Amino acid sequence: MKKNKVMDFFSALGRSLMMPIAALAACGIILGITSALMKTQVVAAAPWLGTGVVGFIILLLNKVSGVVFTLIPVLFSISIAMGLAKEDKEVAAFAGFVGYYAFLVASGLVVNTGIIDFSAVKISSILGVETVDMGAVAGILIGCLTALLHNKYHKVVFPAAVAFYGGKRFVALIVILASAALGLVMPFVWQPLSQGINSLGIVIQEAGGLGVFLFGFLERLLIPTGLHHVLNGLFRTTAIGGTFNGVEGCLNIFLQFVDKVPLQDLAPFTKFLGQGKMPFMMFGLPAAALAIYRTSPDEKKEKVKALMIAGVAASAVSGITKPLEFSFLFIAPALFGFHALMGGLSFMLMSLLGVIIGNTGGGLIDFLIWGVLQPGSNWYWVIVVGVVYAVIYYYVFKWYLSKKKISVDVAEDSDETTDGNVTTNTDDKMHKQAALVIEGLGGFDNIVAVNNCISRLRVDVKDMSLVKEDLLKKTGSLGIIKPSDTHIQVVYGPKVEAIANAVKEVMQY
């Protein structure tokens, strides 16, 4: 039972981190385009890009998108508090921000008293407060603390004389006090911990190709659990991913310095970013999809074709791989193991070949913005290695699927009719699908909470034995994961948000 709770927590934590990470990725695209347009070579070729209204707009977008990366800790605090809260999520989000600020003020007071020498740690001005800079770790701690207190006290009832301060209003009060108390303690804890984190980052960096391989391997291997978001978050936003000019985390470093220092200086940090994903996202997985289609029985080919085309588009263009990965994860886990090994090798090869392409995505968009448009990125190696990956993936998948006589399961079409008439209303179709999903999850009474990430419907249930997996597959599910006895993840791909919203609407009727 304890193991289940731990898995549930980390799964929920990974889901909560997706909101700020998605915002960072979107801002990163804008930052990348504007940074490329502001390059000396580009402006020299097209002077109108650096002057007048056009130049001002480019500069504005560059600065506005760049400032988001200085807000990562507070974004983490808000999103984690909201994501881990079971009810009244907006109250938890508000408390997450207030708690983070109280934490900063309290830790700042400790630092400024001069009780001990904190010169060994980084001191920064954060939201106007001079304090110990714990980076994303502070946001994660306060987000988790806020969610814990919120879930425990958001319905507390006080005597009539002070009833006004009960319930939701008490959450902010208790979070402020608890966060301030934590802020008083953390500077003393952070000093040795910070030195340890920096040492770990140095070890990983000095491990060379092996360290990069292990990162890439684990990044893919953890996909089914959702814990890859936690791994990525640590490398992207803390000293484990490297430190450069006082900035911690490989993603933070890349996006804050991509237009300020020679691109070559950022190579030690981009090796943990999007470049390592591009050979298998843009070439390997699409080739695997072709093998899956060609080895499918004739009666399944058309449906498999539609599924594979959608998956290839998501993977190759935007770097969303789960629709393809989950299509073979459960029917051929050995192929997923092969895919994880190739993922690690991809990260290692891109690093060894001197590729310097940052940001988080591994699709065509990031390849063009952060690779082709950035002089000195050595982007051509992605294509060279990618072609080899395509050949290897195609023949390995085709050989294994043919030998084992395995084919991808495809959801059966369900008739959408009402009193003999075909229903064309999109909302009606979504609600009918949602009703089937609810039934597949064991019914209304069996569902505790419904959430989603980029590709998965994440549901807490009372009794897992009531879940009907066959029915869930008929709703278009690409796979089902059960991290614990009370939590189930149903994979739908990019359309999951619409399904999650429809399920929530039906449950409110």
Side-chain angles (χ1 to χ4, degrees), residues 76-123:
F76 276 15
S77 178
I78 294 170
S79 63
I80 290 174
M82 182 169 63
L84 296 182
K86 296 178 181 178
E87 298 179 64
D88 298 322
K89 291 178 177 291
E90 68 281 0
V91 176
F94 171 75
F97 172 77
V98 175
Y100 178 72
Y101 202 84
F103 175 88
L104 293 179
V105 172
S107 60
L109 287 174
V110 172
V111 171
N112 293 322
T113 57
I115 297 174
I116 64 173
D117 181 12
F118 288 103
S119 59
V121 297
K122 181 184 177 185
I123 306 296

Side-chain angles (χ1 to χ4, degrees), residues 362-381:
L364 184 62
I365 295 175
D366 274 23
F367 175 67
L368 292 174
I369 293 173
W370 299 107
V372 177
L373 294 178
Q374 306 294 334
S377 65
N378 297 326
W379 56 267
Y380 49 86
W381 281 115

Side-chain angles (χ1 to χ4, degrees), residues 114-444:
I115 297 174
I116 64 173
D117 181 12
F118 288 103
S119 59
V121 297
K122 181 184 177 185
I123 306 296
S124 302
S125 178
I126 306 173
L127 299 181
V129 180
E130 198 76 17
T131 185
V132 174
D133 189 346
M134 294 174 55
V137 175
I140 293 171
L141 284 176
I142 296 301
C144 293
L145 176 64
T146 299
L148 175 67
L149 295 173
H150 171 84
N151 290 334
K152 186 173 183 179
Y153 294 113
H154 78 289
K155 290 184 178 180
V156 67
V157 177
F158 291 150
V162 289
F164 176 81
Y165 298 102
K168 300 175 184 178
R169 296 179 182 88
F170 182 69
V171 172
L173 296 175
I174 190 66
V175 167
I176 289 173
L177 294 174
S179 298
L182 185 61
L184 295 175
V185 174
M186 281 310 297
F188 302 100
V189 176
W190 187 249
Q191 183 146 289
L193 190 60
S194 176
Q195 294 169 341
I197 292 175
N198 286 327
S199 298
L200 178 59
I202 292 172
V203 169
I204 294 175
Q205 292 285 355
E206 292 181 348
L210 178 60
V212 180
F213 170 82
L214 290 175
F215 171 81
F217 173 67
L218 290 173
E219 200 270 344
R220 285 296 99 185
L221 196 66
L222 291 173
I223 285 284
T225 67
L227 299 183
H228 62 295
H229 297 313
V230 178
L231 176 70
N232 282 329
L234 288 173
F235 273 82
R236 292 170 183 173
T237 61
T238 75
I240 291 179
T243 302
F244 184 76
N245 288 352
V247 177
E248 298 178 348
C250 56
L251 180 61
N252 295 344
I253 293 167
F254 177 77
L255 292 173
Q256 289 191 40
F257 291 101
V258 66
D259 56 348
K260 298 180 179 66
V261 301
L263 199 61
Q264 189 63 39
D265 292 352
L266 302 178
F269 313 107
T270 61
K271 63 185 180 183
F272 298 119
L273 295 174
Q275 65 185 45
K277 303 177 183 180
M278 290 174 182
F280 64 81
M281 285 186 174
M282 294 169 56
F283 296 91
L285 284 174
L290 178 61
I292 290 172
Y293 166 71
R294 288 192 170 176
T295 55
S296 297
D298 290 340
E299 63 272 16
K300 285 187 178 183
K301 263 187 164 54
E302 284 305 309
K303 292 180 179 179
V304 171
K305 180 180 178 181
L307 179 64
M308 292 298 106
I309 289 175
V312 167
S315 177
V317 176
S318 58
I320 298 175
T321 59
K322 294 184 186 68
L324 282 180
E325 288 169 330
F326 281 102
S327 71
F328 62 83
L329 168 62
F330 299 102
I331 62 171
L335 285 179
F336 190 79
F338 160 78
H339 172 55
L341 287 170
M342 293 297 285
L345 186 61
S346 177
F347 272 85
M348 184 179 72
L349 286 174
M350 292 299 96
S351 175
L352 294 177
L353 292 171
V355 177
I356 312 173
I357 305 177
N359 210 30
T360 59
L364 184 62
I365 295 175
D366 274 23
F367 175 67
L368 292 174
I369 293 173
W370 299 107
V372 177
L373 294 178
Q374 306 294 334
S377 65
N378 297 326
W379 56 267
Y380 49 86
W381 281 115
V382 172
I383 297 176
V384 174
V385 174
V387 169
V388 177
Y389 260 56
V391 174
I392 294 174
Y393 265 75
Y394 176 77
Y395 283 105
V396 168
F397 270 70
K398 185 178 181 182
W399 168 78
Y400 187 85
L401 294 173
S402 300
K403 180 180 179 181
K404 299 293 184 179
K405 294 182 170 53
I406 297 173
S407 63
V408 170
D409 291 327
V410 184
E412 297 293 330
D413 293 330
S414 57
D415 296 329
E416 301 290 347
T417 59
T418 303
D419 297 329
N421 297 317
V422 177
T423 302
T424 58
N425 185 281
T426 302
D427 288 340
D428 288 345
K429 288 184 178 180
M430 287 303 301
H431 287 162
K432 287 183 178 181
Q433 183 182 19
L436 287 176
V437 172
I438 292 170
E439 184 181 349
L441 292 169
F444 290 88

